[in-house]
Amino acid sequence: MPSKNKLDAHPSVVKVRQRHDHGIARPAEPLDASWLRELCLDAGADDVGFVEIDRPEIADQRADLEAALPGVRVLISIVTRMNRENIRTPSRSVANLEFHHSGDHSNEAARQVVGKLEAMGVRALNPAMGFPMEMDKFPGKTWVVSHKPVAVAAGMGKMGLHRNVIHPTFGNFILLTTILIDAEVSDLSQPLDYNPCVECKLCVTACPTGAIASDGHFNFSACYTHNYREFMGGFGDWAEQVAESRDAADYRSRVTDQESASWWQSLSFGANYKAAYCMSVCPAGEDVLGPWLNNRKAHVDTVVRPLVNKEETIYVIPDSDAEKYVASKFPNKSTKRVGQSLRPINIEGLVEGMPLIFQREQAADMSATYHFTFTGAESRQITVTIRDRELDITEGLHGEPDLRITADSQTWMRFLTKRSVLPWALLRGRIKMHGSPRLLLTFGRLFPS
């Protein structure tokens, strides 16, 4: 470390101290909300809202946000509008081009705002609108900030039945990003007092996987497996097919030429969504609603039916609700079975992921309680109750179980990922069961791999 006298004489130190004596100081706080809003709009945003860090709606994100920008005090929610017809078309290349360019625009607008604030002495940070994210944490929480809850808290819209944020003006044809700043803002935003969703249920009709139910249930696994086929976990499944293929002919028997070309396209130009039809058909939002109100049949004929009738492959987990749904609802669509890409790597991930892959239609006639006691590297006890197509997971052991399982945590994870077989684990005493083994088979059917 240099001596104090030597450091004081360093040319950069001299200039910095002179600049601080005579330069532009950090702006007074709180920052004027009108000025900050105009700064964001000039950078390319279409709407803006401001949320304080201690807002209850984002309390579960606070630790991650403070880790990303220590001292963060306000979040700026930025909305950028997409071109609707580009999203509505059955041509997915057009839709994905809109997603990619709008995403780049969102990131650039946020980056420009951050640059202006930083030049004024306000610390600011803009996490990615979408990808890339923190893949070292995959398959856990790979994102720095959950943009949707921030946008809802900032009055930028409400969550629709399809789990997209619906802006009161632009509808769901928007992308979201968030800026973190270490300053107060003079006027904070409040949530909307109504939901722009008009409850038309067209998203239920159009979803090719049955992920959106009319009663509000959302099958995350069905959506993720198909729509995100060429992202993250789906890529891992495809890579394993490449590795397991004996030769080129074997590979072509597993992966069609069209699929290989699609993988090349995603790897070269950005990962492509397979559907997003729920967004395509949504008529909500003041700028969007008029044509649907004037002629609902025309909206169905020109927007909904082309997507519903499109001949395409839907990627499904074997024996999943989605596989059965496609067969019963979409005669023009075929299914292709793929591996489960939502694979946990530890007991914590297993417990957190169970609601995401639960197949409630498989549990239509089921009523059972399971006690799991995990030992070894991860010690944990949970009670899993399945009744009336509903899944309930609680910490600790409660009630009288129909099946009691005690398992070494590492052995259980190897069993789930098919690196170990159940009879071997039972013989070695690494897994112990008290109750009918059929209940374990039934349990596995509800969480297919």
Side-chain angles (χ1 to χ4, degrees), residues 117-415:
L117 291 173
E118 186 174 279
M120 299 171 58
V122 177
R123 294 172 57 245
L125 176 145
N126 61 300
M129 178 282 303
F131 299 94
M133 293 182 180
E134 314 302 308
M135 284 303 140
D136 57 306
K137 299 178 182 178
F138 181 81
K141 183 177 181 289
T142 61
W143 51 95
V144 174
V145 55
S146 298
H147 301 301
K148 291 181 181 181
V150 175
V152 171
M156 296 295 97
K158 290 280 190 179
M159 203 80 81
L161 182 66
H162 49 17
R163 300 322 194 264
N164 294 312
V165 173
I166 302 176
H167 187 272
T169 304
F170 311 132
N172 77 170
F173 296 96
I174 58 173
L175 291 180
L176 304 169
T177 191
T178 308
I179 297 173
L180 288 60
I181 64 174
D182 75 337
E184 302 291 349
V185 176
S186 64
D187 187 18
L188 297 168
S189 308
Q190 297 300 321
L192 294 179
D193 58 5
Y194 72 100
N195 194 332
C197 177
V198 294
E199 300 182 4
C200 64
K201 306 292 178 69
L202 289 178
C203 56
V204 178
T205 300
C207 178
T209 68
I212 308 167
S214 58
D215 64 0
H217 176 75
F218 184 69
N219 187 333
F220 180 90
S221 175
C223 176
Y224 181 87
T225 300
H226 175 66
N227 194 31
Y228 293 85
R229 173 61 184 165
E230 292 171 10
F231 292 75
M232 302 174 296
F235 173 81
D237 181 68
W238 172 72
E240 289 175 4
Q241 292 185 55
V242 174
E244 291 172 357
S245 298
R246 294 186 304 274
D247 51 32
D250 186 30
Y251 171 79
R252 287 196 294 271
S253 71
R254 298 166 182 256
V255 183
T256 67
D257 289 346
Q258 291 87 350
E259 287 177 295
S260 292
S262 185
W263 277 110
W264 168 83
Q265 182 184 50
S266 282
L267 293 171
S268 299
F269 297 102
N272 288 321
Y273 300 95
K274 290 295 184 184
Y277 297 170
C278 57
M279 178 180 285
S280 304
V281 302
C282 182
E286 294 170 16
D287 283 358
V288 189
L289 194 57
W292 179 76
L293 289 174
N294 293 335
N295 192 333
R296 300 186 191 186
K297 183 179 183 302
H299 181 83
V300 170
D301 289 342
T302 61
V303 179
V304 182
R305 291 196 190 283
L307 299 173
V308 170
N309 295 334
K310 181 181 179 180
E311 296 183 5
E312 60 184 327
T313 299
I314 307 300
Y315 295 94
V316 298
I317 302 299
D319 300 317
S320 62
D321 290 348
E323 184 175 36
K324 294 177 174 58
Y325 185 86
V326 176
S328 66
K329 296 291 185 180
F330 297 107
N332 291 335
K333 303 184 192 299
S334 60
T335 59
K336 180 168 183 176
R337 291 181 161 191
V338 296
Q340 175 63 267
S341 56
L342 293 168
R343 295 179 296 191
I345 59 175
N346 51 36
I347 298 299
E348 180 181 5
L350 170 67
V351 175
E352 291 180 352
M354 285 172 64
L356 301 180
I357 62 176
F358 175 64
Q359 306 295 302
R360 72 168 184 168
E361 300 306 323
Q362 308 281 345
D365 302 317
M366 186 176 175
S367 178
T369 299
Y370 297 81
H371 280 181
F372 289 92
T373 298
F374 297 109
T375 62
E378 289 184 85
S379 179
R380 191 165 184 177
Q381 293 182 323
I382 61 169
T383 298
V384 179
T385 303
I386 300 165
R387 186 172 293 111
D388 299 327
R389 299 193 307 163
E390 295 291 334
L391 170 70
D392 180 67
I393 303 173
T394 56
E395 293 293 332
L397 304 180
H398 307 280
E400 187 63 29
D402 297 287
L403 181 63
R404 183 183 295 110
I405 296 175
T406 301
D408 169 72
S409 57
Q410 292 182 341
T411 302
W412 187 256
M413 295 309 302
R414 287 198 296 269
F415 163 60

